[in-house]
Amino acid sequence: MRHRLSTVLGVIVLAAASLGAAPATAAPGLDQAVVQLMTARSQADGSKLAAAGAGTEVNVQRSSPRGDWAFGSSVIKAPNVEGAYPEGWLFLAQRTATGWTAALDGTPEFAELAARAPAAVLGTGEKQTFAANAKAAAARTAAAQAAPTGLSLPYPVGNQWKIIGGPHGWSGQPRPWSSIDLDSRAADRSVLAAQSGRAYWVCSNGGHIRIIHDNGWTTEYYHLLNEIRPNGTPVRMGDYLGLTSTRIPCGGSAGSNHVHFALKSGSSWVPLADKTIGGWTYFEGSSAYGGGARRGGTTRYVGDWIQNYGPETGGRTFENTDNHDVADLGQAESSITVGGVPGNAPANLGVYADVHHGWRGDLQLDLVGPTGTVYRLRDPAPSDDGTIIHETYTVNASASPANGTWRLRVRDVDTNHSGYIDAWSLTF
């Protein structure tokens, strides 16, 4: 069979003399098309991994009943040497009369194919995630690249893990230095999702997970043990992904238990320098694996421990100062519309409430998220005879999207007194 191959960085078309009607897993040309595409992408990024000859994988995870669409992961494996890591992508491919058209995740071509893919290959929720990720990544300016990411670190908020490798490339020395190596100080070595999104496994035998977030960022996790095997699975910030280990399922090396955690925007690795993740802003050293992280006046270097402060987004505050009456045994709501905050709300959303009432112990306060999720701020306290609530509450609102309409709901549960909402605010 003779093939005609045309390629750009985001898409490849392989024309075959005979296409037949075989299922996607056996269709002639699919593997070759995807391997050629990811090899071209890797070389364009300046990587020499394909030339190392450690092998490739094309893992078809879903196909259409007619066999004319396929979705899965693809990998250029790494040799088992220090500083080497496999390069992986999700791919989507369509077979037409002229052959297979394939594209890699994070590219405009992938987004275009995803919009047309049948439901058997990509569900509605996945299409929305891919579209939102592509749109946010494309709209990100140079200034926004250096802004807080809305991401947590990949372990529990409040816990401290050790930096065992500062900013370095996904494969060691080569730039951009998009990755950091982290290890637990406790018996619990659980690696957690850094933010909500959709998770996918990459290597055929596990250990490597990618999460695509709707705020334009993509996070990568390698060396996982006892990991989940997601296939477009929705995850929330803090969901379990696996354990730190020394596993190298698609090659590379690891001298001690850790997670190799990395950041992409669209289809490209991006430097961690000046990014804020988990409350820390990262800086490079004079060579790969050096540097560290800063928070206010505190600096941490390789070998130091850093606490995960969750997905801080830069302290943006939104407020409503209109008065809303709360009748005796009544209920009132005041709304705030939030825009321009990427991803989901943080795990430490600040909610300030200024409420006046004849007997504040009669009041129940709730925060209602954009999708209707209710977060209890204050329960009634019958013996509390104060008349003013000036309180700031910290809410784990990571289950709710940041953007949209938020409401402060105040309910009077007992007789004889009334009051009003004076003002309230949200700090992201």
Side-chain angles (χ1 to χ4, degrees):
M1 189 186 311
R2 299 182 63 186
H3 302 287
R4 173 176 54 80
L5 187 67
S6 63
T7 179
V8 295
L9 293 187
V11 65
I12 194 168
V13 179
L14 182 64
S18 174
L19 294 176
T25 52
L30 175 59
D31 284 12
Q32 183 180 354
V34 176
V35 169
Q36 292 282 353
L37 177 57
M38 65 179 179
T39 300
R41 176 73 211 194
S42 176
Q43 292 172 341
D45 287 341
S47 171
K48 299 179 180 179
L49 187 62
T56 60
E57 290 183 356
V58 177
N59 309 308
V60 177
Q61 298 171 13
R62 307 175 209 158
S63 59
S64 61
R66 294 175 55 190
D68 55 348
W69 284 85
F71 172 82
S73 63
S74 57
V75 181
I76 302 175
K77 294 183 178 181
N80 295 336
V81 297
E82 185 177 356
Y85 278 86
E87 296 173 358
W89 295 267
L90 303 177
F91 74 86
L92 184 60
Q94 181 187 20
R95 187 174 59 181
T96 68
T98 57
W100 282 102
T101 298
L104 301 178
D105 68 296
T107 65
E109 293 84 2
F110 184 93
E112 190 276 329
L113 274 181
R116 297 191 287 105
V121 175
L122 281 185
T124 300
E126 286 181 286
K127 291 184 179 184
Q128 292 172 344
T129 295
F130 287 133
N133 179 275
K135 181 179 180 181
R140 186 169 287 126
T141 64
Q145 287 279 11
T149 60
L151 299 172
S152 178
L153 283 164
Y155 50 91
V157 173
N159 284 14
Q160 295 187 26
W161 281 27
K162 181 186 286 187
I163 307 174
I164 66 170
H168 55 281
W170 172 254
S171 288
Q173 298 290 336
R175 291 184 178 275
W177 291 349
S178 61
S179 310
I180 191 169
D181 294 335
L182 299 159
D183 192 20
S184 171
R185 70 185 305 173
D188 184 4
R189 294 158 30 213
S190 297
V191 177
L192 310 180
Q195 188 48 275
S196 62
R198 288 188 179 269
Y200 298 84
W201 57 270
V202 181
C203 295
S204 61
N205 57 345
H208 184 180
I209 288 177
R210 169 170 298 170
I211 302 180
I212 296 177
H213 309 283
D214 64 2
N215 62 1
W217 299 111
T218 295
T219 50
E220 207 92 354
Y221 312 76
Y222 194 58
H223 302 308
L224 299 181
L225 174 69
N226 294 341
E227 70 281 4
I228 64 173
R229 295 296 293 269
N231 188 356
T233 307
V235 294
R236 293 181 177 178
M237 190 200 79
D239 282 355
Y240 173 87
L241 301 180
L243 302 175
T244 61
S245 79
T246 58
R247 287 184 70 205
I248 49 173
C250 280
S253 68
S256 62
N257 290 335
H258 69 279
V259 60
H260 184 65
F261 176 64
L263 183 66
K264 298 180 82 173
S265 178
S267 62
S268 301
W269 299 112
V270 293
L272 285 181
D274 298 325
K275 306 293 187 300
T276 300
I277 300 175
W280 296 87
T281 302
Y282 302 86
F283 61 91
E284 296 179 352
S286 58
S287 60
Y289 297 96
R294 295 188 178 94
R295 176 179 171 85
T298 301
T299 301
R300 295 285 185 264
Y301 298 94
V302 175
D304 290 337
W305 304 88
I306 57 172
Q307 179 175 329
N308 183 11
Y309 289 94
E312 298 187 3
T313 58
R316 293 189 62 187
T317 297
F318 302 81
E319 65 177 0
N320 186 337
T321 59
D322 294 336
N323 289 359
H324 294 269
D325 291 333
V326 181
D328 189 17
L329 291 176
Q331 177 177 293
E333 291 185 348
S334 178
S335 64
I336 291 174
T337 300
V338 174
V341 178
N344 278 21
N348 58 348
L349 178 66
V351 184
Y352 172 72
D354 181 350
V355 182
H356 297 242
H357 191 269
W359 190 285
R360 68 182 185 186
D362 290 352
L363 299 181
Q364 173 183 303
L365 273 62
D366 292 295
L367 176 68
V368 184
T371 58
T373 303
V374 178
Y375 304 91
R376 178 60 50 83
L377 303 178
R378 176 188 173 94
D379 287 311
S383 62
D384 184 352
D385 63 354
T387 59
I388 298 176
I389 296 173
H390 283 169
E391 294 287 343
T392 298
Y393 308 91
T394 300
V395 177
N396 182 351
S398 58
S400 296
N403 294 331
T405 299
W406 296 77
R407 290 170 290 151
L408 175 66
R409 178 182 294 164
V410 179
R411 180 183 171 211
D412 185 344
V413 303
D414 207 346
T415 58
N416 298 327
H417 299 91
S418 61
Y420 62 96
I421 302 171
D422 190 27
W424 72 291
S425 64
L426 295 169
T427 299
F428 290 80

